[in-house]
């Protein structure tokens, strides 16, 4: 049984559009998702001095993840992968987002663990997985030093012409699922 690690935001949850909408409301700006070319859009909107205040406000705005939506087809394909793989969600988001497990369970998302860490690559040195799925380019590159196969979920903020050899860009969950089940006897 393979161990697959998964990032939360941008892989399972489609949280960036909600965050951009919130930041636009807070700052009076009008950025679109495709305008954001860096993983963390906060510096585009604010300074370090008000970053934590804005983030705390976002926690309240987001409430118990009511507005958060799953990334297209993530739940469907996680359900198909789960009987044949261990699925471990590893996220750098704050554990203050206490509604994450509840949100996943409300959607009947199949997974084995949800872990909050400060550094994914460090965590994965001692909690190994065979494959990791990430949307942050910088994180994917760090994770690729300790995980043999990394899939990078395509997004406007992670474009680069060349990737390390063990990182493969995937278009979406359909593409990811096809690659994960290629040459396997897993049920579809």
């Amino acid at each position: 049984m393979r161990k697959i690690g998964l990032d939360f935001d941008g892989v399972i949850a489609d949280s960036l559009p909600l965050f951009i909408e919130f930041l636009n409301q807070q700052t009076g700006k009008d950025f679109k998702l495709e305008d954001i070319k860096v993983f963390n859009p906060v510096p585009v909107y604010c300074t370090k001095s008000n970053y934590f205040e804005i983030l705390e406000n976002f926690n309240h705005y987001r409430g118990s993840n009511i507005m958060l939506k799953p990334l297209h087809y993530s739940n469907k394909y996680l359900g198909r992968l789960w009987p044949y793989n261990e699925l471990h969600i590893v996220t750098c988001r704050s554990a203050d987002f206490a509604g994450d497990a509840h949100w996943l369970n409300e959607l009947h998302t199949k997974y084995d663990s949800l872990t909050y860490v400060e550094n994914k690559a460090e965590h994965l040195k001692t909690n190994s997985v065979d494959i990791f799925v990430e949307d942050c380019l910088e994180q994917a590159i760090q994770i690729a030093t300790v995980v043999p196969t990394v899939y990078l979920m395509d997004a406007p903020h992670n474009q680069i012409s060349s990737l390390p050899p063990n990182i493969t860009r995937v278009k979406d969950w359909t593409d990811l699922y096809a690659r994960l089940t290629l040459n396997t006897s897993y049920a579809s």
Side-chain angles (χ1 to χ4, degrees):
M1 185 173 286
R2 293 181 303 184
K3 292 183 178 182
I4 300 175
L6 303 142
D7 182 34
F8 187 86
D9 294 298
V11 173
I12 296 172
D14 194 12
S15 50
L16 191 56
L18 183 64
F19 197 37
I20 299 302
E21 177 186 316
F22 170 77
L23 289 170
N24 281 336
Q25 288 175 4
Q26 291 290 298
T27 62
K29 296 184 179 182
D30 189 29
F31 287 109
K32 307 285 183 265
L33 183 61
E34 55 274 5
D35 297 330
I36 305 301
K37 303 296 182 197
V38 294
F39 177 72
N40 181 0
V42 174
V44 174
Y45 288 96
C46 65
T47 63
K48 281 186 177 182
S49 62
N50 65 349
Y51 169 76
F52 290 106
E53 178 184 340
I54 287 178
L55 198 56
E56 184 175 321
N57 290 340
F58 181 63
N59 285 341
H60 295 294
Y61 171 78
R62 206 177 71 130
S64 60
N65 290 316
I66 289 172
M67 294 179 266
L68 192 60
K69 293 180 173 41
L71 200 64
H72 196 57
Y73 291 127
S74 62
N75 211 33
K76 170 186 173 180
Y77 288 121
L78 286 170
R80 288 183 180 181
L81 290 168
W82 185 71
Y84 310 100
N85 300 275
E86 288 183 24
L87 303 177
H88 301 280
I89 302 167
V90 181
T91 180
C92 289
R93 69 178 15 218
S94 169
D96 293 338
F97 291 96
D100 296 340
H102 178 75
W103 180 80
L104 290 163
N105 292 333
E106 285 288 314
L107 293 172
H108 305 287
T109 303
K110 302 293 186 191
Y111 67 100
D112 292 285
S113 67
L114 170 61
T115 306
Y116 299 92
V117 299
E118 287 186 30
N119 184 307
K120 290 178 193 170
E122 283 298 316
H123 172 77
L124 294 168
K125 284 180 183 177
T126 55
N127 299 276
S128 66
V129 294
D130 305 302
I131 296 165
F132 200 89
V133 185
E134 178 64 60
D135 74 306
C136 173
L137 177 63
E138 294 80 9
Q139 290 279 351
I141 291 170
Q142 289 177 7
I143 291 166
T145 65
V146 295
V147 174
T149 303
V150 177
Y151 289 103
L152 182 64
M153 196 67 76
D154 195 38
H157 60 264
N158 66 24
Q159 300 303 304
I160 188 172
S161 58
S162 64
L163 294 169
N166 63 329
I167 299 178
T168 301
R169 182 179 299 280
V170 291
K171 181 181 172 191
D172 54 26
W173 265 95
T174 302
D175 183 18
L176 175 63
Y177 182 76
R179 291 170 187 269
L180 289 173
T181 57
L182 186 68
N183 299 320
T184 66
S185 58
Y186 301 143
S188 59

